[in-house]
């Protein structure tokens, strides 16, 4: 809390009592602080762990979104293998690989896994507060001269 206030991320942060009395207002302040912090840590060279965990979170989110399509494709693959067996083929490798993929999508790709990854990303983001310069960088992506660099002040 103190570091965010010292960096002028937000004018003030809610107290525990305020959070209980006005949870929506507290969420709004925390969302603003999170947006500010993400903007300050966009430089992948200065904050490689934040960048890496953001990529991992995006991958996990996208994988979860594609899960139904992946399971449908696996079901189609197994149906195709059954038809191949009917015609005298032996698609053993195809069946094993399809079942492994189906099991992975069924058990390893979940909302709980996405929540864990989101928590890891959030921890890396909060850890980055200590590495921020005392003077925050103005966040204006249109003024950035090169992709991946911090925007310059105008």
């Amino acid at each position: 809390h103190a570091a965010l206030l010292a960096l002028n991320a937000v004018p003030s942060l809610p107290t525990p009592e305020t959070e209980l009395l006005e949870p929506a207002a507290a969420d709004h302040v925390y969302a603003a602080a999170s947006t500010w912090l993400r903007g300050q840590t966009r430089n992948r060279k200065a904050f490689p762990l934040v960048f890496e965990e953001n990529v991992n979170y995006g991958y996990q989110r996208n994988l979860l979104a594609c899960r139904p399509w992946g399971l449908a494709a696996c079901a189609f693959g197994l149906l195709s293998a059954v038809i191949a067996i009917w015609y005298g083929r032996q698609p053993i490798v195809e069946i094993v690989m399809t079942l492994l993929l189906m099991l992975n999508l069924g058990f390893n790709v979940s909302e709980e896994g996405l929540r864990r990854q989101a928590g890891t990303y959030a921890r890396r983001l909060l850890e980055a507060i200590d590495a921020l310069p005392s003077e925050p960088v103005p966040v204006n992506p249109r003024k950035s001269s090169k992709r991946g660099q911090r925007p310059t002040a105008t």
Side-chain angles (χ1 to χ4, degrees), residues 6-7 18 20 30 40 47 55-56 64-65 71 77 86 102 108-109 114-116 118-119 122 125 129 138 143 152:
L7 292 167
T18 307
L20 291 174
Y30 290 134
Q40 296 298 309
F47 302 99
V55 169
N56 291 340
L64 183 61
L71 290 172
W86 181 270
M102 188 176 262
N108 292 335
V109 178
L114 180 62
R115 255 189 301 283
R116 277 193 312 271
L125 196 57
I129 291 172
K143 300 285 182 186
T152 57

Side-chain angles (χ1 to χ4, degrees), residues 7-129:
L7 292 167
N8 295 319
V10 289
S12 65
L13 289 168
T15 64
E17 296 79 27
T18 307
E19 285 185 25
L20 291 174
L21 294 173
E22 302 176 40
D27 287 346
H28 180 71
V29 171
Y30 290 134
S34 297
T35 300
W36 179 89
L37 185 55
R38 282 192 307 272
Q40 296 298 309
T41 57
R42 292 260 186 239
N43 185 333
R44 70 170 74 172
K45 290 180 183 169
F47 302 99
L49 293 177
V50 173
F51 175 76
E52 183 180 329
E53 295 305 337
N54 188 20
V55 169
N56 291 340
Y57 170 74
Y59 175 79
Q60 189 74 23
R61 185 192 63 220
N62 293 340
L63 190 59
L64 183 61
C66 293
R67 181 180 175 204
W69 293 101
L71 290 172
C74 288
F76 181 74
L78 288 176
L79 178 63
S80 298
V82 168
I83 293 170
I85 290 170
W86 181 270
Y87 283 102
R89 308 269 191 240
Q90 296 180 3
I92 303 303
V93 173
E94 292 84 351
I95 291 173
V96 170
M97 294 304 291
T98 302
L99 286 174
L100 287 174
L101 180 59
M102 188 176 262
L103 288 171
N104 183 43
L105 286 172
F107 293 108
N108 292 335
V109 178
S110 65
E111 288 185 19
E112 177 57 33
L114 180 62
R115 255 189 301 283
R116 277 193 312 271
Q117 187 58 50
T120 302
Y121 172 56
R123 281 190 297 281
R124 296 298 169 264
L125 196 57
L126 291 174
E127 290 168 359
I129 291 172

Side-chain angles (χ1 to χ4, degrees), residues 122-153:
R123 281 190 297 281
R124 296 298 169 264
L125 196 57
L126 291 174
E127 290 168 359
I129 291 172
D130 296 331
L132 288 173
S134 58
E135 292 294 321
V137 176
V139 179
N140 187 351
R142 294 180 189 176
K143 300 285 182 186
S144 179
S145 59
K146 291 184 180 176
R147 187 174 179 183
Q149 290 186 343
R150 284 193 174 168
T152 57

